[in-house]
Amino acid sequence: MRNEDLEKKELFTIFGNPVAHSKSPLMHNYAFKHLGYPGCYGRTLLEEGTRLRDTFFALGLKGANITVPHKEAAFEACDVLDDFARKVGAVNTVVRKEEKLYGYNTDAPGFLKAIEPFDAKKVLFLGAGGTARATAVILRDAGYEVTVLNRSEGRLKRFAQEGFVTAVYDSFYPEGAYDLIVNMTSAGLKDDALPAPQALLEAVIPDAKACVDVIYGKKTPFLRFAEAQGKPTADGLEMLLQQGVIAFLHFTDNRFEHQKVEKIMRKALLL
Ligand code: NDP
């Protein structure tokens, strides 16, 4: 693209490390093109989260998404936070308005939208990282009962302080049936690991309506295990799509309809 064409466009990027795998540029550029919006979305490898704010302004950006491991750094970099981002301490969408940076978390509402079709009430999380934290809060606010399990104690403390039922895998006893079992860990992302001991999965999956993974782009051992038990499954692609739609609406000052953006971005993910 010529420099003068770029000057006429609003610029966006995704910051992360690594960032080469991200589908966000594809989704956003496809939507810009098909909605006739003058935007251009790239990707930026960022090693130091503390450099996020300076880099954002140096690149002349209008907005950005932030992925692993900089969501907490993005939270720190913003001047204004929406209520939910402030509550969960993690930002994955930043928009510049005048010279201020506004921060949002669209991962959690994206996940909430993605699980709507499962008609669940009781949800069991395997994993207690940053993504689990934001989604547990939004699910509870929306009326779901969320139980959070993790392989180690450390990250569970904050959930317990916030009133969630928590347990490490070794000390967990199911309290009735859980409608939805969710892999919120990164187990299976780069390895062939199940997120929890097989015996635990065998205790909860048979009574579940469905199993969901937040990892996308591959069939994880967790999803293969759930399928072998005859359960409906979904990977993290729908969450990715939905968080992207909500981010796009922030980037473009809500001038487009959610459904229209969703339809276009869904097509982009099939490319
Ligand atoms: P964090 O690093 O904050 O947390 C990782 C969690 O996974 C911890 O609970 C950790 O347990 C657990 N864990 C890691 N490896 C294993 C393992 N081998 N076995 C069991 N538990 C393990 O990660 P995030 O919360 O940021 O991300 C979690 C996942 O969500 C990632 O796979 C990421 O790609 C995905 N994601 C998907 C999105 C989408 O749009 N689909 C959006 C955002 C994230 P411990 O505390 O014991 O270390």
Side-chain angles (χ1 to χ4, degrees), residues 71 107 127-131 150-152 155 184-187 189 195 214-216 236 239-240:
K71 292 181 193 183
D107 284 331
T131 308
N150 201 35
R151 64 179 176 182
S152 61
R155 287 178 156 115
M184 280 283 171
T185 77
S186 39
L189 184 62
V214 287
I215 295 170
Y216 63 87
M239 176 183 182
L240 175 80

Side-chain angles (χ1 to χ4, degrees), residues 6-210:
L6 269 179
E7 276 165 20
K8 286 184 218 147
K9 295 202 181 229
E10 291 180 354
L11 303 180
F12 301 84
T13 198
I14 177 154
F15 288 110
N17 184 14
V19 80
H21 66 287
S22 173
K23 290 186 186 291
S24 291
L26 169 71
M27 286 160 59
H28 287 276
N29 284 325
Y30 197 75
F32 288 143
K33 182 166 174 232
H34 287 268
L35 290 164
Y37 189 90
C40 179
Y41 191 116
R43 63 180 91 228
T44 307
L45 178 70
L46 185 72
E47 297 197 343
E48 291 295 325
T50 50
R51 303 277 306 132
L52 195 140
R53 188 179 168 95
D54 288 351
T55 311
F56 187 105
F57 285 114
L59 293 174
L61 300 173
K62 165 83 195 299
N65 286 122
I66 293 87
T67 187
V68 177
H70 299 315
K71 292 181 193 183
E72 282 84 11
F75 173 88
E76 298 296 338
C78 288
D79 302 296
V80 184
L81 294 159
D82 89 336
D83 289 348
F84 181 71
R86 184 176 308 109
K87 198 165 163 182
V88 298
V91 160
N92 78 320
T93 301
V94 174
V95 184
R96 178 168 55 81
K97 296 178 191 172
E98 306 196 330
E99 286 318 298
K100 285 194 171 156
L101 298 186
Y102 286 66
Y104 308 89
N105 183 304
T106 73
D107 284 331
F111 181 80
L112 183 65
K113 187 115 182 81
I115 65 160
E116 265 173 16
F118 293 111
D119 188 29
K121 171 112 182 85
K122 277 181 77 176
V123 181
L124 186 67
F125 276 13
L126 309 172
T131 308
R133 175 141 194 284
T135 46
V137 170
I138 206 165
L139 257 59
R140 182 166 66 183
D141 288 353
Y144 291 84
E145 275 175 47
V146 185
T147 299
V148 185
L149 308 184
N150 201 35
R151 64 179 176 182
S152 61
E153 192 77 52
R155 287 178 156 115
L156 286 176
K157 284 188 189 130
R158 196 157 174 193
F159 287 85
Q161 280 162 4
E162 289 174 350
F164 288 98
V165 176
T166 64
V168 289
Y169 295 148
D170 294 345
S171 66
F172 171 66
Y173 293 98
E175 287 177 15
Y178 299 90
D179 301 323
L180 206 60
I181 317 293
V182 186
N183 177 23
M184 280 283 171
T185 77
S186 39
L189 184 62
K190 291 184 194 139
D191 53 33
D192 227 11
L194 284 169
Q198 188 167 325
L200 190 156
L201 299 179
E202 282 167 349
V204 292
I205 290 180
D207 292 331
K209 290 182 182 169

